[in-house]
Amino acid sequence: MVVGDVTTGTDVLVIGGGPAGYAAAIRAGQLDLDVTLVEKDAYGGTCLNHGCIPSKALITATDVAHEARHAEEMGIHADPAVDMAGMVDWKDGVVDQLTSGVEKLCKANGVSLMEGTAKFADENSVRVSHGGEGQGSESVDFEHAIVATGSRPIQIPGFDFADEPVLSSKDALSLGSVPESLVIVGAGYIGMELAGVYAKLGTDVTVVEMLDEMLPAYPDDLARPVAQRAEELGIDFHFGYSASEWQDLGDGIRVVAEPADAVASDGGAEAVEADPIELDTEKVLVAVGRQPVSDTLDIEAAGIETDDRGFIPTDDRGRTNVDHIHAVGDVAGEPMLAHKGMYEGETVAEVIAGEPAAIDYQAMPAVVFTDPEIATVGMTEDEVDDAGFEPLVGKFPFRASGRALTTGHADGFVKVVADEESGFLLGASVVGPEASELLGELGLAVELGATVEDVSSTIHAHPTLSESVMEAAANALDQAIHTLNR
Ligand SMILES: Cc1cc2nc3c(=O)[nH]c(=O)nc-3n(C[C@H](O)[C@H](O)[C@H](O)COP(=O)(O)OP(=O)(O)OC[C@H]3O[C@@H](n4cnc5c(N)ncnc54)[C@H](O)[C@@H]3O)c2cc1C
C-alpha cells in the first residue's frame, strides 16, 4: 500500500512542537483528549533549539569568563581562556537534554507524535509529508486543530542567510570560533543580547540600527543602564542607518549602511543627512525581527485568515476565524515570547476540553537578558496614566541594596506602579541584577491584585535582591527604610 493512502484521525491536531504547540499538546493529553502533535524539524521549536535556551546558555558561559576576568576588585586575578567550540558543545548538551525531555513528556501524557510537515487540505484535514526520499505522506483528519508554527527571522534585501558571512540568530548561536569582528544589524532584544555575548568574548562589535535608539520597545530609564554597559564593553553604535549590502573583501567583508529616515521612537520622522558608512568586518548578524510562519501551511485551504503581517488573528479563546481551528504562540501575534505561547497553548487546550478558560494578558512578563537584564510586567507608568488611573510610583535603586553590592552588580532599580486610589499594583519593571528572577514575585502580585501595601508588608529575607521589591513598594507609600522617600 502507498503510504500516501493512509488516513488517520485525531480529536486535536497540533501543528508545531515549539513551546506553544508542545504545551498545548501536553495539556490536551492531561485533559484526556486524543491529541496528535506534528513537528517537521525538532521538538522544542525555536525556543529550545535556536532561541531562548541556547542564547541564555551562551550568555551565562560568557558571563562566567567575563566576571572572572574582571574580578580584581574582589581580589581575584584570572584570565580564563575561552574554547568557543567547547562552549557550543556544552550549550548543545543543555539543548539535547531539554528537547528529549519534551518528547518524553509528550509521550508520557498520551500525545501521539508524528514527524513531518503539515499542510491543510481542507478545514478538517491536513496532509503530512514525512520528508526524505520515499517516505511519502499521509492524511490526518481532525475535530480541532491548533496552529503553532512559530516564526522565522526576517531577511533583509542584500543579506542572504545562505551566504556564509551572513548570520541569522540561529547561526550566531553555533559558531565554531570567536569572530574578530561582528556587525550586528538591529538593536532589538536579540541583537543586544548577542552583542553582549560577543563583546564579552573579545569580538569587536558594531551595531547598526535604523531607529534612533537601542531596545526601542522599552522606556528610556530601563534602556539607559544597558546603553551605559554596552559603551563600557566597547560596543559601537550607528543609529539612523539601514544596512543595504555587503561586499566580499577576500579576507573579510564590508557592510554598507545608508542613512535611514530615522523614525524617532515617539513616531515622528526626521531626515538624517549623512553619507553611507562602510564597516569592515569578519561576519554580519542580521537580527531585525521575526515573521510568522503562516505562509507554508496552505491555510487558505482551511479558510484561515491572516492580517497584513501574516499573523493569524485570534479571539480570547485562541480561535481563528474558523471556529474549531485555533492559533497560539508567535504565529498568533506579538509579543513573540515563549511563555506567551505556552500560556496560550495551555489555555486553548482547556477551551477545547470545554473548560471555562480564556486568555488574559494583564500580567504578561517580558525579559531582555542583556547586561544588566530588563524585566517588565503589567502596565508602564504612562499606560497606567492613559488608562485613567492616577499613577502611584515607588522606586528602589540597587546601589542601596546590601545584597546587590555584595554581588558586584548594583546598577539599576526596581520600579512599581500602582493605582493611587486603591493601591492595586498595576505594573512593575526592573533593570539590574537577576531582574528576570525578581519579576516572578511582581508578576504574581499583579496577577493576584495585590496592593503596594501587601508587597511592602511581606517580610523578605535579608540580604536578598528581592528586598528591593519590598523597598520599592514601601517607597510608593513613603515608607522605604533603605532609601530616601521622595
Ligand atoms: C535568539 C532568540 C532568543 C530568544 N530568547 C527568548 C527568551 O529569552 N524568552 C522568550 O520568551 N522568548 C525568546 N525567544 C522567542 C521564542 O523563541 C519564541 O517566542 C518561541 O519559540 C515561540 O514559540 P512557538 O511555539 O510559537 O514557535 P516555535 O518555537 O518557532 O516553534 C514552531 C515549531 O513549528 C514547527 N513547524 C512549522 N511549520 C510546520 C509545519 N507546517 N508542520 C509541522 N511543524 C511545523 C517548527 O519546526 C517549529 O519547531 C527568542 C528567540 C530567539 C530567536
Side-chain angles (χ1 to χ4, degrees):
M1 182 172 47
V2 182
V3 182
D5 291 335
V6 174
T7 298
T8 51
T10 185
D11 284 350
V12 183
L13 177 77
V14 183
I15 308 173
Y22 78 68
I26 290 174
R27 187 74 190 110
Q30 289 170 349
L31 292 163
D32 288 331
L33 296 169
D34 167 39
V35 52
T36 302
L37 171 65
V38 189
E39 169 54 51
K40 71 174 175 58
D41 189 3
Y43 297 110
T46 304
C47 171
L48 265 56
N49 295 285
H50 320 295
C52 325
I53 296 299
S55 61
K56 266 78 262 183
L58 291 191
I59 287 170
T60 305
T62 49
D63 276 351
V64 169
H66 186 77
E67 295 265 306
R69 208 171 278 137
H70 294 89
E72 291 90 355
E73 255 195 338
M74 294 178 176
I76 298 166
H77 303 271
D79 188 13
V82 172
D83 159 17
M84 186 72 190
M87 194 182 274
V88 168
D89 274 354
W90 169 74
K91 177 268 294 180
D92 288 342
V94 174
V95 168
D96 287 348
Q97 193 176 335
L98 289 169
T99 52
S100 65
V102 164
E103 210 174 323
K104 284 182 198 140
L105 284 169
C106 285
K107 287 179 182 160
N109 282 286
V111 177
S112 302
L113 297 176
M114 187 179 278
E115 283 166 24
T117 304
K119 287 181 192 236
F120 285 98
D122 56 48
E123 63 171 53
N124 277 104
S125 69
V126 291
R127 191 106 195 133
V128 177
S129 47
H130 296 296
E133 196 74 7
Q135 292 192 46
S137 65
E138 63 188 290
S139 288
V140 182
D141 294 343
F142 59 82
E143 295 288 320
H144 304 270
I146 302 175
V147 181
T149 46
S151 62
R152 64 171 84 89
I154 295 174
Q155 278 203 154
I156 53 174
F159 295 83
D160 190 333
F161 292 135
D163 293 331
E164 196 266 328
V166 180
L167 308 177
S168 66
S169 56
K170 175 180 168 181
D171 305 322
L173 294 168
S174 289
L175 293 182
S177 58
V178 179
E180 269 183 31
S181 49
L182 177 66
V183 167
I184 299 181
V185 183
Y189 88 91
I190 293 176
M192 290 310 302
E193 287 183 6
L194 290 169
V197 165
Y198 282 102
K200 287 177 183 176
L201 287 172
T203 301
D204 191 359
V205 177
T206 305
V207 178
V208 177
E209 166 59 54
M210 211 169 84
L211 303 182
D212 59 0
E213 61 187 353
M214 68 168 67
L215 300 174
Y218 290 86
D220 282 355
D221 59 343
L222 293 178
R224 203 171 303 120
V226 180
Q228 279 163 1
R229 191 82 183 99
E231 201 183 317
E232 285 163 25
L233 288 169
I235 300 171
D236 284 332
F237 288 89
H238 294 278
F239 292 112
Y241 283 91
S242 175
S244 54
E245 61 169 321
W246 67 276
Q247 298 153 5
D248 197 344
L249 301 179
D251 59 347
I253 60 168
R254 174 166 295 162
V255 173
V256 182
E258 309 283 339
D261 275 347
V263 181
S265 50
D266 61 6
E270 160 198 332
V272 174
E273 282 181 29
D275 293 328
I277 47 171
E278 295 179 341
L279 303 163
D280 292 356
T281 179
E282 191 178 325
K283 302 216 180 277
V284 56
L285 160 64
V286 178
V288 296
R290 298 180 64 82
Q291 61 190 181
V293 176
S294 59
D295 52 350
T296 51
L297 273 171
D298 288 351
I299 53 172
E300 47 296 334
I304 305 167
E305 287 166 6
T306 59
D307 68 13
D308 53 2
R309 293 172 64 199
F311 290 111
I312 303 178
T314 53
D315 66 10
D316 68 352
R317 305 300 198 268
R319 287 180 297 223
T320 67
N321 61 304
V322 182
D323 258 13
H324 64 284
I325 302 181
H326 295 72
V328 293
D330 284 8
V331 76
E334 304 274 6
M336 288 195 261
L337 293 170
H339 49 265
K340 175 252 188 193
M342 288 189 251
Y343 168 69
E344 288 174 344
E346 289 174 57
T347 310
V348 159
E350 289 168 8
V351 168
I352 293 173
E355 300 209 347
I359 295 165
D360 170 9
Y361 297 114
Q362 192 200 343
M364 182 59 64
V367 175
V368 185
F369 291 81
T370 40
D371 181 1
E373 294 177 352
I374 295 176
T376 60
V377 67
M379 295 176 166
T380 62
E381 188 177 342
D382 286 346
E383 285 166 351
V384 168
D385 200 21
D386 292 347
F389 299 105
E390 188 64 40
L392 174 67
V393 176
K395 211 166 165 180
F396 186 78
F398 283 113
R399 64 173 183 277
S401 154
R403 184 64 182 127
L405 290 168
T406 66
T407 67
H409 297 284
D411 288 339
F413 55 84
V414 177
K415 179 175 171 182
V416 296
V417 191
D419 165 32
E420 169 100 61
E421 197 184 321
S422 63
F424 286 130
L425 198 69
L426 298 176
S429 45
V430 186
V431 54
E434 305 293 344
S436 53
E437 298 297 336
L438 293 175
L439 195 68
E441 172 183 2
L442 289 159
L444 184 68
V446 173
E447 175 69 29
L448 294 184
T451 63
V452 272
E453 194 171 355
D454 293 328
V455 178
S456 76
S457 59
T458 301
I459 305 169
H460 285 66
H462 177 77
T464 59
L465 293 172
S466 68
E467 286 172 293
S468 308
V469 170
M470 171 183 72
E471 293 270 8
N475 177 248
L477 300 168
D478 289 336
Q479 295 169 8
I481 300 297
H482 296 95
T483 190
L484 292 178
N485 292 298
R486 26 169 205 222

